[in-house]
Amino acid sequence: MSDSGLKEYIPGKSISEVAKQYGFAAENIIKLGSNENVLGPSPKVKEILLKTLNNAGFNLGYYPDAMSESLIAGIYEQFPEIGSAAVVAGNGMDHILECLGRLLLEPNDKTLIHVPTFDYYEIITRWAKAEPVFFQTHLKDNFKLDLENFLAQITDKIKVVFLCCPNNPTGNILSWLEIEQILIKAEKVGAKVFLDEAYSEFAQKSYIDQVQNFSNLIVGKTFSKVYGLASLRIGWAVLPKQLLENYRKIQTPFNVNSLALLAAKTALEDQEYIQKSLELNLKGKNFLKTELEKLGFNVFESQTNFISFLAPSKDAKGFCLNLLTKGIIARNASLFRGSPDGLVRLTIGTETQNHKVIETIKNLSCK
Ligand SMILES: Cc1ncc(COP(=O)(O)O)c(C=O)c1O
């Protein structure tokens, strides 16, 4: 395979990387660069994993359930609105995106991607030797999609339209009215619409109920964000029933490990914990936004578990580096394709972490 045009995914920094580089004790590092649940998963997850590992009947030597059946049954039970649409699980939503790239894209096809957004849509497009068409959204419009012009870009060369709602790294959302018009136009040209709902729990708005009504809508979900299971790598998607048979043919066998399946099912059942996480997030987001605005930052509205703002002198790299030297990991979001200079993305932390972040920013020499 020639590597021309391929693009590497650049992840947020890890605690071990920063500990090694700056000599901090791992427990003193505040990791707010990757939008995980800062509380981790429900305590019931650890409990069931330990119990399972200690159970003599459990054997790590066996392959996991190839079709993730018990988790998928749990998902239908928790979200009956999915109705007659199909559900698949994967090794993170990233893995499902890879499978969809294999299933839906051929060389010289095109995909339509609003930017700035999550970089992986471009990456899988390039793997397939297809061509991404980027549609710029602008800071001056608070990154709102210009719907009329976006619709005009959905031509018969486009095979997949990627939508991220709420969007990473801007935090804004699309209305159902907008999504519906995109679906209708895409249907006319034979394109699928992938709606990424990695952060939908924070916006309290999901469109998994619409997949049964649109034969071209696929909704991606993850256990990495509010469910706190990023390290186990597990995601899921709702797809039209007609796609399931072919999806199974291109899916990697045994793509989700047995501990992740068990953890995800358990996490899903503890909705009380999810509510607690959402409340903490909302409180923390209001605090950070208010405090950063008091310090003169331009902070964008966010329907997620992160906020984005412009660094002083539009120097996102320098600002994030300054925070790193104090043990705080934030994301230089100006590196996302189509991002404005200076864009910084910060995950909402615990109350203590948020206070520490604000105190640190107040003391930075660049403020
Ligand atoms: C918008 C968006 N989609 C998908 C993912 C990846 O999800 P997963 O961890 O399930 O692969 C992320 C991770 O940051 C994300 O921000």
Side-chain angles (χ1 to χ4, degrees), residues 9 34-35 90-97 117-118 120-121 164-168 194 196-199 221-225 229-230 233-236 306 331 336 345:
Y9 180 74
S34 301
N35 305 334
N91 193 254
M93 195 202 300
D94 289 346
H95 173 248
I96 294 173
L97 279 161
T117 193
F118 185 51
Y120 215 58
Y121 317 135
C164 189
C165 179
N167 189 37
N168 172 14
F194 182 83
D196 184 329
E197 290 194 349
Y199 301 96
K221 311 286 287 185
T222 183
F223 284 98
S224 300
K225 305 302 174 187
L229 293 175
R233 309 303 302 124
I234 179 158
W236 55 288
F306 59 82
R331 189 69 162 260
F336 283 53
R345 197 193 69 194

Side-chain angles (χ1 to χ4, degrees), residues 4 68 159 166-167 198 234 260 281 294 310 332:
S4 60
S68 309
K159 294 297 173 239
N167 189 37
I234 179 158
N281 181 67
K294 272 194 222 160
L310 294 180
N332 174 1

Side-chain angles (χ1 to χ4, degrees), residues 202-221:
F202 301 102
Q204 313 229 337
K205 200 88 209 101
S206 168
Y207 298 109
I208 50 177
D209 59 325
Q210 293 292 345
V211 180
Q212 59 197 334
N213 303 328
F214 287 87
S215 61
N216 62 337
L217 173 62
I218 300 162
V219 178
K221 311 286 287 185

Side-chain angles (χ1 to χ4, degrees), residues 30 287 349-358:
I30 300 183
F287 169 79
T350 60
E351 203 175 331
T352 316
Q353 290 174 332
N354 294 336
H355 278 88
K356 175 95 194 286
V357 166
I358 294 299

Side-chain angles (χ1 to χ4, degrees), residues 135-248:
F135 186 88
Q136 187 68 51
T137 61
H138 300 280
L139 185 147
K140 68 173 172 41
D141 310 323
N142 280 325
F143 305 103
K144 187 170 167 40
L145 195 71
D146 172 350
L147 185 65
E148 203 180 315
N149 283 318
F150 191 73
L151 290 174
Q153 292 294 324
I154 307 177
T155 60
D156 55 8
K157 274 266 176 218
I158 301 285
K159 294 297 173 239
V160 183
V161 178
F162 289 101
L163 302 176
C164 189
C165 179
N167 189 37
N168 172 14
T170 57
N172 62 337
I173 54 169
L174 291 160
S175 69
W176 173 248
L177 225 62
E178 291 169 308
I179 297 170
E180 193 180 28
Q181 288 188 62
I182 293 166
L183 280 163
I184 292 168
K185 178 74 192 284
E187 186 131 56
K188 279 191 189 140
V189 300
K192 302 278 186 279
V193 175
F194 182 83
L195 177 63
D196 184 329
E197 290 194 349
Y199 301 96
S200 67
E201 291 84 2
F202 301 102
Q204 313 229 337
K205 200 88 209 101
S206 168
Y207 298 109
I208 50 177
D209 59 325
Q210 293 292 345
V211 180
Q212 59 197 334
N213 303 328
F214 287 87
S215 61
N216 62 337
L217 173 62
I218 300 162
V219 178
K221 311 286 287 185
T222 183
F223 284 98
S224 300
K225 305 302 174 187
V226 75
Y227 287 95
L229 293 175
S231 76
L232 285 178
R233 309 303 302 124
I234 179 158
W236 55 288
V238 184
L239 26 109
K241 254 200 333 223
Q242 312 86 286
L243 270 187
L244 185 64
E245 197 182 333
N246 281 340
Y247 186 92
R248 293 286 188 217

